[in-house]
Amino acid sequence: MARVLLIDDHPDLRDVVREMLEMNGHLVHCTVSTADARPVITAAEQRNEPFEVVIADYNLPGETGLDFLRT
């Protein structure tokens, strides 16, 4: 089981990917934008439970998923 952060602003696609990951035993936390994801990552790190996988949509509001992953 992996802790997965899924960042996507398209609800239908986000729901399908989340359901597929959860059906395979992964713990998934979803956010709509990279701005929403930053506090989630910080909180997970403070609990010493960092995400093992981050899946980010490329075309997100504010910045691309690739830009987010680079930081």
Side-chain angles (χ1 to χ4, degrees):
M1 175 180 82
R3 291 179 42 80
V4 179
L5 175 60
L6 174 60
I7 309 168
D8 199 311
D9 59 329
H10 295 92
D12 293 337
L13 181 59
R14 187 177 60 238
D15 290 345
V16 168
V17 173
R18 178 185 49 78
E19 287 178 24
M20 289 174 39
L21 290 167
E22 288 177 347
M23 284 175 30
N24 285 285
H26 302 292
L27 178 63
V28 181
H29 186 89
C30 297
T31 66
V32 175
S33 71
T34 58
D36 296 337
R38 292 183 195 287
V40 171
I41 290 174
T42 300
E45 290 173 341
Q46 289 174 347
R47 288 190 313 266
N48 202 24
E49 297 176 350
F51 292 100
E52 297 159 308
V53 177
V54 177
I55 301 172
D57 182 10
Y58 184 79
N59 293 313
L60 290 165
E63 67 180 324
T64 70
L66 191 56
D67 291 336
F68 176 77
L69 293 174
R70 282 188 187 124
T71 60

